[in-house]
Amino acid sequence: MATAYVNGTVYTMKAEGDRCSAFVVEGDKFLYCGTEEEARRLAGGNVVDLHGATVLPGMIDTHQHLFAYARDRLKLNLKKAESFEQLLELIRRRAEETPDGQWILGTGFDHEKFTDRKVLPTREDLDRVCPNNPLMITRYCLHVNVANSLALKAGGIGPGFRPKVAGTVEFRPDGQPTGTLRDAAAADVMALIPDPLSTQEGRKDAVEAACRELNSHGLTGVHAIQGLHCNLPEFTDVYQDLSDEGRLTARVFLGFDRLPGCSIRTGLGDDMVKYGFYKLYVDGNMGGRTALLTQPYEDDSSTCGIPNYTQEELDAQVKLAYDLHIQVGAHVIGDKAAEMLTTAIERARADRPNADPRCFRMIHMSLLNQDVVDRIAKLPVVVDIQPMFVSTNVHWSETRVGHERSKYHYCWRKLLDNGMILTAGSDSPCESYAPMDGVYAITTRQGMDGWPAGGWFPEERVTVYEAVSMYTRNAAFVSYEEDIKGTIEPGKLADFVLLDADVFHTDPEKIKDIGIKKTYLGGQLVYSRA
């Protein structure tokens, strides 16, 4: 049966400003978009009044660690810690109510935002508030962790310990570990912890609940990405089971940091769950000073960051996936890492040029330089950005790289002006996955607190239409699904969202306050605020 939705402000996202007042859904697809009169005729009296609501295509987050987010909902939430002392107090309270010997995991803090001491705690700090339980807390970026003495002991980390990857365990001059662990070192300790989601049913329940939360922010699609070196697994069978059982409320495009063990290509699957791409991690992150830079850090001249590959190793991995017709997505934060990835793409294409920009996804691209901008502008690539990085890092980014280099920090306007295609993702659970937060971030270039007035390097702001496109039409394009979703058009999947304000006629500084009234997936209501 067809259903007409009338009396709305429906932005199709086919082009800037393109809109209609009504549309018809039949089955799981849009049948018609246009006038109310024709919509009512086609629906034969089955009509839903939108009461003037703004309608957008269902939004798609092109970078999430979805299973990690589902898992982190069970951990001690440290995002609310506004100071060093508050962080310790939250841990102390959890330790008091936890049986001795039981692991405690916390996540989400950012020491750069602390109002008292902008430093990471040490193992001794954690020991004082959690002496009887092994404890590991993870910074919001997921790359930096701090363990107490019991957790370090469980991992065999002490004086003389040699990590698998140099620089991932921090030691004092006397050889004692400080407690700070990065990436692979932390993942090895995490592997020792009893898994609260060890059963298939437990995993399914957690992911289903997480997807319902995504729906409440207008998301109908997500690119779920694995990163085993950071303890960020994904499980294809979890999503497939949920889909088979009618419990999956977001379409999933999967990225894995290992190549498949059989001859499959990008796009294998159905409209709900698809194999997507091969994920590489070229460097680390800016907060932990592991992002790879061409010049030393402004606040630590002893380091330029940590590469995860030599140029030759990266070249080989990019070309291998490219030759297998598997989409390559590579994590790049620093400008030196961006140079390395650009070189690898240039070399991979040398013998078999392909003009489709979706072969290569350059992910994050946080700090660039003019040479990198000029080079990638000549390549067919897509850049997956994380809008919320701007708002989250605006208070401290310049301390890492200085004012001059910061002109190329999150320089999205430069990329757009060079004709590049950008998509938007959150990197959740690192950042807020609410698209309206992301649209606010890159149209204002301000923190969530509104600082600085006028925006940080405001010349790099994007328009609201450009920002929303990154979550809709561009997001569908990068997963080779522009023919079935991303815009509101006849024949496409009926994924759409009702907002409580018109995002295109709202002061950008207030966009983050726009709420979601309803979310539909394939014509079915999956979230209603009422």
Side-chain angles (χ1 to χ4, degrees), residues 12-49:
T12 69
M13 294 304 295
K14 291 190 298 181
E16 185 168 7
D18 189 81
R19 67 184 189 181
C20 60
S21 61
F23 58 91
V24 177
V25 173
E26 186 172 50
D28 64 349
K29 293 182 174 64
F30 293 111
L31 176 66
Y32 170 79
C33 305
T35 66
E36 292 188 13
E37 181 182 8
E38 181 64 9
R40 290 177 183 274
R41 187 189 69 79
L42 290 170
N46 191 25
V47 177
V48 174
D49 189 341

Side-chain angles (χ1 to χ4, degrees), residues 373-418:
V373 172
D374 292 341
R375 289 171 65 191
I376 62 176
K378 299 174 184 176
L379 291 172
V381 296
V382 173
V383 179
D384 294 341
I385 73 167
Q386 283 57 58
M388 281 302 295
F389 280 11
V390 181
S391 285
T392 300
N393 300 345
V394 67
H395 293 278
W396 55 265
S397 288
E398 287 192 42
T399 66
R400 289 291 187 271
V401 299
H403 183 77
E404 284 303 309
R405 280 190 286 179
S406 286
K407 293 177 181 178
Y408 287 86
H409 227 150
Y410 318 117
C411 56
W412 313 140
R413 180 80 266 150
K414 289 183 179 66
L415 300 187
L416 288 169
D417 288 347
N418 274 280

Side-chain angles (χ1 to χ4, degrees), residues 82 109-115 117-120 139-140 286-289 299 392-393 395-397 399-400:
E82 297 179 355
F109 77 96
D110 182 3
H111 65 290
E112 298 286 354
K113 291 184 177 179
F114 288 168
T115 56
R117 302 168 56 198
K118 298 182 186 297
V119 295
L120 291 169
R139 188 174 181 268
Y140 83 96
M286 198 66 71
R289 300 181 186 85
D299 57 355
T392 300
N393 300 345
H395 293 278
W396 55 265
S397 288
T399 66
R400 289 291 187 271

Side-chain angles (χ1 to χ4, degrees), residues 269-315:
D270 56 28
D271 291 344
M272 289 303 300
V273 183
K274 286 185 179 179
Y275 172 71
F277 61 97
Y278 178 41
K279 176 68 183 292
L280 296 163
Y281 293 81
V282 182
D283 62 349
N285 79 316
M286 198 66 71
R289 300 181 186 85
T290 53
L292 190 62
L293 311 183
T294 55
Q295 300 295 325
Y297 280 83
E298 189 79 7
D299 57 355
D300 186 354
S301 61
S302 69
T303 183
C304 291
I306 301 174
N308 291 327
Y309 302 94
T310 65
Q311 184 67 62
E312 291 71 24
E313 290 169 340
L314 182 61
D315 291 350

Side-chain angles (χ1 to χ4, degrees), residues 75-91 93-94 107-110 113-115 140:
K75 296 180 181 179
L76 173 61
N77 185 353
L78 298 174
K79 290 184 178 180
K80 64 185 73 172
E82 297 179 355
S83 68
F84 187 91
E85 291 304 321
Q86 188 177 11
L87 174 77
L88 296 183
E89 178 62 17
L90 290 170
I91 295 169
R93 291 177 188 173
R94 175 59 67 90
T107 188
F109 77 96
D110 182 3
K113 291 184 177 179
F114 288 168
T115 56
Y140 83 96

Side-chain angles (χ1 to χ4, degrees), residues 208-226:
E208 180 183 18
C211 287
R212 291 287 182 182
E213 287 198 9
L214 302 188
N215 300 149
S216 73
H217 291 280
L219 288 165
T220 58
V222 59
H223 293 201
I225 301 170
Q226 177 171 276

